[in-house]
């Protein structure tokens, strides 16, 4: 193949040196579960110190003075022992995520997502194949981490079948799946998980604030369109010209066309989806619909409150239509097994959710959350950093932290209890704060060597270039990271400053 000109790997004092430092530093960071154990120990000590010093804050909503309570006091020990189970069971993201997994997991286990991705890629016209890869990568987020091992190698094979450089296809798939991880036109597990955490920590400031899984939908849906165009431009104008003509000896496996039964199953799933959506729309828009609110609106209605079971049913219906046609579902026992397997895959999340739930509960009970929020917001007011620049500063902090902590949910669980209440006291909507975090975490996904999927992507890359290393991977992905982050920040500015809602009824500021 044409030699890839090294951009950064031979400059240990430049960007590569910075990335090497990140790798060395990040490798010293223990597993997220252990990180939260350390954070809990820190909260225990901090609450004792705060209580000893008599620190307090005034709740902006109630005007009540809140003294920091020690978790190491008799009262604190009684709280820890008596609340552990309730903290876990009542941790909002836990139930939301597991319920969603029952539906999304069923559709994934029967093969619906993989078949849909292949259908999109194999049927895209030659002139639009780059756009097809990116679009498939964005909707592929429904399959969660499985998208990393399905889309990039398939994209490489598709590119080569059209006479284009397979590495260009591989990199395009990696960029869409990794750097654009949070963008989607569908409500995915990420929306459910992050909104649950955001709601949980926002209660410290306003118990009536609710962040739903669709509160970022407008922003993320538009992101798919904008990033597809931007990503295609980078691939065709920057990455592919740099690669030159592929002259390697690697032979890709032959791309197998979808069988008639798979096409039939996809058709049946599409029909089922249309019937479900049509039925839902009919019920929603009939006069005096039970899904509408008392005022006849949708924003505050049983429909919005029940969005999780509605989405759950959508994936169950489409998954069953596909699975029954493929004979992967022949009885109810098959459905139970597939759903059970999906829950088993979430065992790591369940363990992490347990320790995160305790961490957030301890922060709230001790009143440390409110003290940090009030102190932080007062400091920002003192330096006159109260408007949109405060959000930009938070995004920058999240970008740096995301290079070291690659688990999006774990990092949000660390940042949210600090920044959500703090920025809410500056009148920012928690769902808007959540968007600022998501773009920072997503854009940097594939340039940090701490992300385990970077090693997987490097393995795919070496199939086409035996000499490829981390520097090669970074040099190819970096243009997407920079472009996606800049575009997302500009979008955030437009949505915020022009008052465009990032989701139904959600603007930059609290009303």
């Amino acid at each position: 193949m044409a030699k890839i000109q090294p951009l950064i790997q031979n400059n240990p004092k430049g960007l590569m040196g910075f990335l090497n430092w990140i790798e060395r530093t990040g490798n010293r960071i223990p597993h997220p579960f252990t990180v939260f154990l350390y954070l809990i120990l820190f909260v225990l000590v901090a609450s004792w110190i705060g209580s000893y010093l008599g620190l307090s804050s005034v709740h902006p909503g109630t005007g009540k003075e809140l003294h920091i309570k020690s978790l190491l006091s008799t009262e604190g020990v009684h709280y820890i022992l008596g609340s552990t189970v309730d903290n876990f069971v009542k941790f909002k993201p836990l139930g939301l995520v597991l319920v969603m997994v029952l539906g999304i997991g069923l559709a994934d286990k029967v093969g619906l997502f993989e078949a849909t991705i292949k259908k999109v890629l194999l049927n895209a016209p030659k002139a639009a194949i780059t756009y097809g890869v990116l679009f498939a990568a964005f909707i592929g987020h429904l399959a969660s981490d499985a998208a990393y091992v399905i889309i990039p190698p398939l994209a490489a094979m598709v590119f080569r079948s059209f006479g284009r450089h397979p590495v260009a296809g591989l990199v395009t798939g990696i960029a869409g799946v990794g750097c654009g991880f949070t963008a989607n036109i569908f409500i995915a597990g990420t929306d459910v998980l992050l909104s649950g955490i955001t709601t949980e920590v926002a209660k410290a400031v306003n118990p009536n604030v609710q962040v739903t899984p669709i509160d970022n939908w407008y922003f993320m849906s538009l992101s798919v369109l904008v990033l597809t165009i931007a990503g295609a431009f980078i691939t065709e104008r920057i990455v592919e010209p740099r690669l030159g003509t592929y002259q390697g000896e690697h032979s890709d496996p032959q791309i197998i066309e979808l069988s008639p039964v798979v096409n039939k199953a996809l058709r049946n799933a599409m029909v089922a989806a249309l019937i479900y959506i049509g039925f839902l729309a009919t019920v929603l828009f009939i006069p005096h619909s039970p899904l509408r609110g008392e005022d006849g609106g949708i924003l505050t209605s049983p429909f919005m409150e029940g969005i999780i079971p509605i989405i759950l049913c959508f994936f169950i219906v489409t998954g069953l239509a596909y699975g029954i046609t493929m004979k992967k579902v022949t009885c109810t026992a098959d459905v139970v097994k597939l759903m059970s397997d999906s829950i088993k895959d979430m065992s790591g999340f369940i363990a992490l959710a347990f320790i995160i739930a305790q961490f957030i509960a301890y922060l709230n009970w001790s009143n440390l959350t409110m003290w940090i929020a009030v102190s932080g917001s007062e400091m920002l007011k003192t330096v006159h950093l109260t408007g949109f620049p405060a959000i930009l500063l938070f995004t920058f902090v999240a970008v740096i932290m995301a290079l070291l902590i690659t688990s999006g949910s774990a990092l949000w669980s660390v940042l949210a209890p600090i920044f959500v209440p703090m920025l809410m006291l500056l009148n920012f909507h928690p769902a808007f704060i959540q968007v600022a975090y998501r773009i920072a975490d997503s854009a940097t996904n594939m340039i940090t060597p701490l992300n385990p999927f970077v090693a997987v992507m490097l393995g795919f890359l070496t199939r086409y270039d035996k000499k490829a290393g981390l520097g090669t991977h970074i040099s190819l992905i970096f243009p997407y990271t920079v472009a996606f982050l800049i575009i997302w920040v500009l979008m955030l500015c437009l949505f915020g400053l022009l008052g465009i809602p990032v989701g139904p009824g959600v603007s930059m500021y609290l009303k």
Side-chain angles (χ1 to χ4, degrees):
M1 62 180 287
K3 184 179 179 181
I4 300 177
Q5 295 298 323
L7 293 183
I8 59 177
Q9 54 264 48
N10 293 325
N11 184 14
K13 295 182 180 180
L15 179 60
M16 196 59 187
F18 174 64
L19 291 171
N20 288 339
W21 174 82
I22 289 174
E23 183 172 16
R24 290 193 303 271
T25 303
N27 284 337
R28 298 189 182 101
I29 298 176
H31 188 277
F33 189 94
T34 308
V35 169
F36 279 99
L37 278 178
Y38 292 152
L39 288 173
I40 285 176
L41 291 176
F42 175 79
V43 169
L44 294 177
V45 175
S47 68
W48 177 81
I49 294 174
S51 176
Y52 179 79
L53 296 176
L55 299 180
S56 64
S57 60
V58 177
H59 195 291
T62 64
K64 181 180 179 181
E65 185 175 10
L66 302 175
H67 293 273
I68 291 181
K69 298 186 292 184
S70 173
L71 286 157
L72 297 179
S73 65
T74 300
E75 182 187 9
V77 172
H78 289 171
Y79 170 75
I80 291 173
L81 295 177
S83 68
T84 299
V85 175
D86 281 347
N87 292 341
F88 179 51
V89 173
K90 295 179 180 179
F91 187 51
K92 195 174 184 67
L94 179 67
L96 292 176
V97 171
L98 294 184
V99 168
M100 278 287 288
V101 164
L102 291 175
I104 292 179
L106 172 64
D108 183 35
K109 294 295 182 183
V110 297
L112 174 58
F113 295 148
E114 183 175 354
T116 302
I117 291 167
K118 288 182 177 179
K119 184 75 171 180
V120 171
L121 293 181
L122 296 177
N123 287 273
K126 182 177 182 180
I129 190 59
T130 309
Y131 300 91
V133 167
L134 287 161
F135 181 76
F138 293 135
I139 66 172
H141 298 149
L142 287 169
S144 191
D145 292 345
Y148 282 99
V149 295
I150 296 174
I151 295 173
L154 181 59
M157 288 188 285
V158 171
F159 262 54
R160 193 173 183 190
S161 69
F162 281 112
R164 297 174 62 180
H165 204 300
V167 173
L170 179 72
V171 171
T172 304
I174 294 172
V177 171
C179 302
F181 180 78
T182 199
N184 210 330
I185 59 175
F186 296 101
I187 304 301
T190 303
D191 299 277
V192 177
L193 176 57
L194 296 184
S195 64
I197 294 173
T198 306
T199 298
E200 196 76 14
V201 299
K203 291 178 181 178
V205 177
N206 186 346
N208 297 320
V209 170
Q210 178 83 9
V211 179
T212 73
I214 65 172
D215 279 0
N216 295 160
W217 185 53
Y218 294 166
F219 187 94
M220 295 307 163
S221 296
L222 181 61
S223 295
V224 171
L225 173 62
V226 176
L227 296 186
T228 295
I229 296 172
F233 179 86
I234 294 170
T235 296
E236 296 175 355
R237 300 297 180 89
I238 299 176
V239 173
E240 208 162 5
R242 177 174 171 240
L243 291 170
T245 304
Y246 181 65
Q247 298 174 347
E249 298 178 355
H250 175 78
S251 177
D252 285 313
Q254 184 179 1
I255 298 178
I256 301 176
E257 295 289 337
L258 297 180
S259 65
V261 67
V262 172
N263 282 313
K264 180 181 178 182
L266 283 172
R267 182 199 65 195
N268 290 346
M270 177 62 73
V271 171
L274 293 174
I275 292 175
Y276 180 84
I277 294 172
F279 172 77
L280 187 64
T282 300
V283 175
L284 183 61
F285 290 105
I286 60 175
H288 309 294
S289 170
L291 296 182
R292 288 181 171 269
E294 295 181 359
D295 60 351
I298 295 178
L299 292 180
T300 54
S301 66
F303 173 77
M304 296 297 290
E305 293 173 359
I307 194 66
I308 293 297
I310 288 172
I311 296 173
L312 166 69
C313 291
F314 172 81
F315 285 112
I316 290 177
V317 168
T318 54
L320 286 177
Y322 183 89
I324 292 172
T325 307
M326 294 294 296
K327 300 190 184 305
K328 292 185 177 182
V329 175
T330 57
C331 61
T332 54
D334 293 335
V335 176
V336 174
K337 182 180 184 305
L338 292 169
M339 287 183 170
S340 300
D341 289 342
S342 301
I343 295 297
K344 289 178 184 177
D345 294 341
M346 298 300 294
S347 58
F349 163 75
I350 294 172
L352 190 58
F354 172 79
I355 200 70
I356 291 173
Q358 310 307 322
F359 169 67
I360 294 176
Y362 296 166
L363 273 176
N364 289 336
W365 183 87
S366 65
N367 290 324
L368 278 171
T369 296
M370 185 54 60
W371 183 82
I372 294 172
V374 171
S375 301
S377 62
E378 289 299 325
M379 180 189 68
L380 292 176
K381 290 177 182 177
T382 301
V383 297
H384 305 290
L385 195 64
T386 57
F388 195 79
I391 286 288
L392 294 182
L393 177 62
F394 165 65
T395 302
F396 175 75
V397 171
V399 165
I400 300 301
M401 292 294 293
L403 294 173
L404 300 174
I405 302 177
T406 59
S407 169
S409 58
L411 179 56
W412 187 228
S413 298
V414 172
L415 296 179
I418 300 171
F419 288 98
V420 168
M422 183 189 303
L423 293 172
M424 282 181 67
L425 292 181
L426 297 178
N427 204 37
F428 287 103
H429 197 293
F432 192 86
I433 304 168
Q434 180 179 281
V435 170
Y437 165 74
R438 293 178 69 171
I439 64 178
D441 175 63
S442 183
T444 56
N445 247 340
M446 300 310 296
I447 64 168
T448 170
L450 301 179
N451 188 334
F453 285 105
V454 168
V456 176
M457 298 305 106
L458 189 56
F460 291 142
L461 182 60
T462 54
R463 295 174 63 189
Y464 302 98
D465 181 4
K466 300 297 183 183
K467 298 180 180 179
L470 179 61
T472 311
H473 168 84
I474 298 295
S475 72
L476 291 169
I477 294 297
F478 198 70
Y480 298 95
T481 294
V482 174
F484 283 14
L485 185 58
I486 291 175
I487 289 170
W488 259 330
V489 169
L490 291 175
M491 285 179 59
L492 193 68
C493 292
L494 289 174
F495 272 76
L497 299 178
L498 297 181
I500 304 172
V502 295
V506 178
S507 57
M508 181 166 68
Y509 293 115
L510 288 165
K511 297 179 180 178

